[in-house]
Amino acid sequence: MANIAVARIKREFKEVVKSEEVKSFEISVELTNDTYTELKGEIAGPPDTPYEGGKYQLEIKIPETYPFNPPKVRFITKIWHPNISSVTGAICLDILKDQWAAAMTLRTVLISLQALLGAAEPDDPQDAVVAKQYKENRAMFEKTARHWAYAYAGASNRDPDLIEKLKQAVSMGFEENRARTALSTCNWDVERAAEQLLS
Amino acid sequence: MAEAASPRGQVLCRYYTSGVCRQGEHCMFSHDRDNRPSNICRYYLKGHCTYGNHCRYDHTRPKEVSAKHIAQNPAPKPVPLLKADSQCASHKMVTLKKKTGSADSGIETDLTSVTLDPEKWVKAAEFVPGQPYAGAAALSYSSATRSGLPDADMSIPTSPLPHVDPEVAQTLLCPFAMKGYCRYEEACPYLHGEMCDLCGEAMIHPFDEKMQEEHRQQCIKQHEEDMELSFAVARSQDKVCGICMETVLEKMPPSERRFGILSNCIHVFCLSCIRKWRSAKQFENKIIRACPECRVKSDFVTPSQHWVESKEDKERLIAGYKNALGEKHCKYFKRGKGECPFNEKCFYLHAYLDGTIAKPQPRQRRRRQNADGDLDTFQRILLHDFFEERERMIELELQDALDHLLFHVDWLSDMSDSSEDYSDDETLFIS
């Protein structure tokens, strides 16, 4: 990897570790290999959002041309959000694409992602199903997102109603994660979800 | 004079001294080692030669030179001058006069007479400018080079000259005293200035008030410049590039330690980083022309050794940069042979071969009527862009042709399946 990329990541790594956000447990970064090409980030779900209390893990890949090109970031933790794919974790965020600037850092990227969790852009969606739900049935979206945060990100807000519905689906013989996705896309209508799972 | 006319010059051949002169007998320079005191190391004579035993000049004091002469002329002096002391003195007089007076004309006449006679090339002005070419004194390298200096006056005070014109001497400050020590002290015919408390050199003229004032002004100006420079360095010291995140003045190699100043914002970048960012191809123009920190657009980057932040300093820097570029010929304009896409906005010089500055050309629009009867505007296309475009087109065409071919083959194979009378030749032809 180009020299400048490694040198910069090393510096940034130190910067993130020392930053205020790390001290308040909002973000963190750790190395996954010795060459500084892959890192693992973590952001806390921002307060007053359905993601509150959750911890979201991110996969960060540093391209050779960094910082002249943005890092490739993806959610490892599953999340229900209009701008993040509920299947792959791919993120739709302008600064990770054409609006990147060379002065941005790992820290600013992670903070931006945290801000994205608090301010979704349903008109520029990554996951069309989630975006549709967000626009048409906001209450249902928030319930679903909260449940996903509970199920995957370790948030403590459990919704007994949704858990009950999930149990129903699982008792019908479906795998839990698949059942959850199906229920979420069908606005937690158990029959429709079952139909979708069988089709 | 008789010696001067001999084909071998008076200057000792330096190849001969090293034992490698290929000219042998025909060499224009002297191969007479014994007779040439220029062979004596002048640094040795002064007391210290860094080469020590390895010096290729002799480390002996010239025996034939009288003790009195050494005292008078401590610098190595050519030997033949001994035979005519008076002549030597008059020769010096001539030299001095030439330097103060009509030096140019003297050299010119020398030149013409020398060039006429190839025998005397060795005494050409290149070797002994300002000297009488056929002077009685043999010349050492040092004296030849010394008198070749544009301000040869510097060399004169090394040996106090009995015939120095006192009027001339009284107007000049002794350069040795300026730098701290003149070995002739009180006896020096030149003026020893008073100590300047700003520059710490004895540069203040003892009585000429105009020169005193002049020097003081110079010193103050110099001092201000130094101060400004040290402020600039202090300002730049811990500036960190926003792209590579390194302290710009600590980057390696040192040639990288330059700032790229953006005209419309105050964010710090090193020159190479910001230039690389601005030449990125993967983003829109709007993104890369903007500052990577604040996204304020700047039209150009100005290189600078120091960090410049205040508006006035920046304006001065940019003006200086534009001036410097304005003296260089534009590589697109090519002195009239090419065309510059930036036209009148180009920072570089648009001048023709004869030096006349080109007038800004109005942008020409060429139009034509296309097949539908509409007006088309021709864009100016750089050859490079054209090639790139054409290459892409060729690739596309190839792809098309391939698709076509595959389609034909499919079609043909269908046909050949249905009717067996197609010969193999046809299939071969298609493929």
Side-chain angles (χ1 to χ4, degrees):
Chain A
M1 187 151 69
N3 226 350
I4 177 167
V6 177
R8 218 189 98 150
I9 287 295
K10 280 183 184 166
R11 276 166 202 278
E12 280 188 41
F13 193 74
K14 282 182 202 153
E15 181 211 40
V16 178
V17 169
K18 274 190 277 180
S19 68
E20 287 294 316
E21 290 83 9
V22 167
K23 279 180 200 145
S24 56
F25 305 105
E26 283 170 55
I27 61 170
S28 74
V29 188
E30 60 185 70
L31 290 170
T32 50
N33 65 4
D34 297 339
T35 53
Y36 286 87
T37 50
E38 282 183 34
L39 297 101
K40 208 159 151 192
E42 195 179 87
I43 56 174
D48 303 324
T49 66
Y51 313 101
E52 186 174 0
K55 292 269 180 203
Y56 293 90
Q57 295 215 321
L58 300 151
E59 175 192 88
I60 305 169
K61 285 185 179 165
I62 307 296
E64 251 177 62
T65 47
Y66 188 79
F68 299 100
N69 276 329
K72 293 183 170 57
V73 188
R74 191 179 72 83
F75 272 84
I76 300 172
T77 311
K78 284 169 88 65
I79 184 168
W80 192 251
H81 188 282
N83 303 112
I84 300 158
S85 165
S86 58
V87 184
T88 60
I91 305 165
C92 177
L93 182 60
D94 55 357
I95 60 153
L96 293 176
K97 290 176 180 143
D98 53 349
Q99 298 287 313
W100 170 252
M104 288 179 175
T105 63
L106 289 177
R107 184 178 145 259
T108 55
V109 165
L110 292 181
I111 292 173
S112 301
L113 283 173
Q114 212 181 16
L116 179 71
L117 295 188
E121 283 281 352
D123 293 323
D124 186 16
Q126 176 75 33
D127 196 312
V129 178
V130 185
K132 191 163 169 266
Q133 192 186 55
Y134 183 94
K135 281 165 95 169
E136 289 172 1
N137 194 345
R138 184 71 180 267
M140 185 57 77
F141 162 79
E142 289 194 0
K143 246 171 128 177
T144 313
R146 206 171 290 122
H147 175 74
W148 279 53
Y150 160 75
Y152 298 112
S156 53
N157 290 327
R158 56 196 298 259
D159 187 328
D161 180 31
L162 297 190
I163 290 168
E164 187 52 42
K165 283 181 175 166
L166 183 66
K167 267 186 190 156
Q168 277 181 34
V170 171
S171 66
M172 288 157 90
F174 300 115
E175 194 265 323
E176 188 185 322
N177 286 337
R178 281 187 67 214
R180 183 178 290 114
T181 310
L183 282 164
S184 303
T185 49
C186 301
N187 289 344
W188 297 88
D189 183 328
V190 182
E191 276 174 36
R192 264 179 59 212
E195 260 173 51
Q196 197 192 51
L197 283 165
L198 289 169
S199 64
Chain B
M1 288 290 173
E3 207 185 330
S6 75
R8 287 185 180 181
Q10 298 156 325
V11 179
L12 185 65
C13 172
R14 66 157 81 193
Y15 296 101
Y16 179 73
T17 46
S18 311
V20 290
C21 181
R22 292 196 294 185
Q23 303 296 326
E25 283 290 295
H26 305 290
C27 182
M28 297 254 227
F29 293 87
S30 169
H31 281 191
D32 192 354
R33 199 189 271 266
D34 304 332
N35 204 20
R36 304 295 150 193
S38 61
N39 218 20
I40 293 167
C41 173
R42 65 179 164 133
Y43 296 101
Y44 175 76
L45 287 177
K46 278 186 186 168
H48 177 70
C49 171
T50 43
Y51 291 103
N53 288 338
H54 301 291
C55 182
R56 64 170 154 150
Y57 294 97
D58 297 333
H59 278 191
T60 50
R61 296 204 175 262
K63 286 180 195 118
E64 56 270 68
V65 179
S66 66
K68 176 189 152 210
H69 209 92
I70 292 176
Q72 218 176 34
N73 273 341
K77 277 286 164 188
V79 115
L81 61 83
L82 291 176
K83 67 190 171 193
D85 223 86
S86 60
Q87 200 186 1
C88 176
S90 69
H91 156 222
K92 282 170 187 160
M93 274 293 282
V94 172
T95 333
L96 186 74
K97 271 182 192 155
K98 280 206 168 148
K99 272 161 201 153
T100 54
S102 58
D104 292 342
S105 59
I107 292 169
E108 270 165 30
T109 48
D110 286 353
L111 262 175
T112 47
S113 61
V114 167
T115 44
L116 286 176
D117 185 0
E119 296 267 288
K120 293 177 183 167
W121 279 350
V122 67
K123 280 128 327 190
E126 281 87 341
F127 299 116
V128 281
Q131 299 272 353
Y133 65 92
L139 294 160
S140 66
Y141 291 120
S142 60
S143 57
T145 49
R146 213 164 358 134
S147 52
L149 288 172
D151 77 355
D153 282 18
M154 294 290 284
S155 64
I156 288 177
T158 53
S159 46
L161 305 171
H163 297 287
V164 166
D165 186 344
E167 273 180 45
V168 176
Q170 282 304 301
T171 59
L172 297 171
L173 287 173
C174 170
F176 291 89
M178 273 183 203
K179 291 291 167 199
Y181 175 68
C182 167
R183 71 167 90 181
Y184 303 111
E185 288 170 1
E186 297 298 304
C188 178
Y190 292 89
L191 284 174
H192 282 191
E194 281 161 28
M195 187 69 80
C196 168
D197 49 2
L198 278 170
C199 64
E201 283 177 12
M203 294 275 279
I204 295 185
H205 205 279
F207 45 80
D208 189 332
E209 279 181 18
K210 200 176 144 223
M211 283 180 80
Q212 283 175 9
E213 189 51 33
E214 209 171 273
H215 174 74
R216 200 150 295 164
Q217 290 298 334
Q218 235 175 25
C219 250
I220 289 171
K221 203 169 156 230
Q222 181 67 41
H223 186 68
E224 276 171 3
E225 276 171 18
D226 287 352
M227 290 290 277
E228 234 162 77
L229 184 69
S230 55
F231 280 140
V233 171
R235 224 174 23 230
S236 325
Q237 208 68 62
D238 48 359
K239 288 281 179 276
V240 174
C241 168
I243 294 178
C244 63
M245 298 202 165
E246 285 181 59
T247 308
V248 179
L249 290 188
E250 287 168 13
K251 282 192 83 166
M252 288 306 283
S255 59
E256 289 279 298
R257 293 173 193 169
R258 284 197 292 170
F259 293 91
I261 311 282
L262 292 175
S263 46
N264 296 336
C265 73
I266 50 154
H267 292 108
V268 185
F269 303 104
C270 54
L271 185 63
S272 51
C273 281
I274 189 69
R275 284 210 166 139
K276 199 169 172 193
W277 169 248
R278 289 172 73 91
S279 59
K281 290 271 187 286
Q282 67 273 34
F283 301 110
E284 275 178 57
N285 224 15
K286 202 179 77 196
I287 298 289
I288 56 171
R289 303 276 264 178
C291 165
E293 304 253 14
C294 65
R295 300 220 194 258
V296 169
K297 193 183 155 202
S298 288
D299 287 323
F300 54 91
V301 179
T302 312
S304 169
Q305 293 288 336
H306 308 289
W307 174 240
V308 177
E309 197 165 311
S310 76
K311 207 167 171 238
E312 303 86 61
D313 286 352
K314 209 178 257 190
E315 272 164 15
R316 209 180 316 142
L317 175 82
I318 291 170
Y321 179 58
K322 281 186 178 169
N323 271 343
L325 292 188
E327 284 167 15
K328 284 185 190 168
H329 285 281
C330 173
K331 67 173 179 175
Y332 295 112
F333 189 73
K334 290 183 194 146
R335 309 194 187 197
K337 276 185 266 173
E339 219 169 293
C340 175
F342 303 104
N343 210 350
E344 74 268 19
K345 284 183 183 166
C346 182
F347 288 170
Y348 288 92
L349 179 62
H350 283 191
Y352 297 107
L353 275 179
D354 58 1
T356 49
I357 306 292
K359 289 195 190 93
Q361 299 282 321
R363 237 160 239 246
Q364 289 180 348
R365 284 248 166 84
R366 287 174 59 204
R367 292 182 178 185
R368 63 152 195 194
Q369 255 181 345
N370 65 11
D372 306 330
D374 299 330
L375 272 180
D376 264 357
T377 307
F378 278 106
Q379 299 266 324
R380 261 161 210 275
I381 299 170
L382 293 177
L383 192 60
H384 173 263
D385 292 344
F386 167 72
F387 281 137
E388 227 167 55
E389 181 71 17
R390 196 183 61 168
E391 242 158 63
R392 229 188 53 207
M393 290 301 282
I394 289 173
E395 262 171 40
L396 279 176
E397 271 169 27
L398 276 177
Q399 191 64 43
D400 272 6
L402 202 70
D403 289 352
H404 249 91
L405 202 69
L406 287 174
F407 174 75
H408 271 284
V409 171
D410 285 354
W411 175 75
L412 200 75
S413 54
D414 286 355
M415 290 291 281
S416 52
D417 283 349
S418 57
S419 60
E420 294 296 314
D421 16 296
Y422 275 91
S423 66
D424 284 0
D425 291 16
E426 205 121 347
T427 359
L428 272 176
F429 170 67
I430 297 275
S431 59

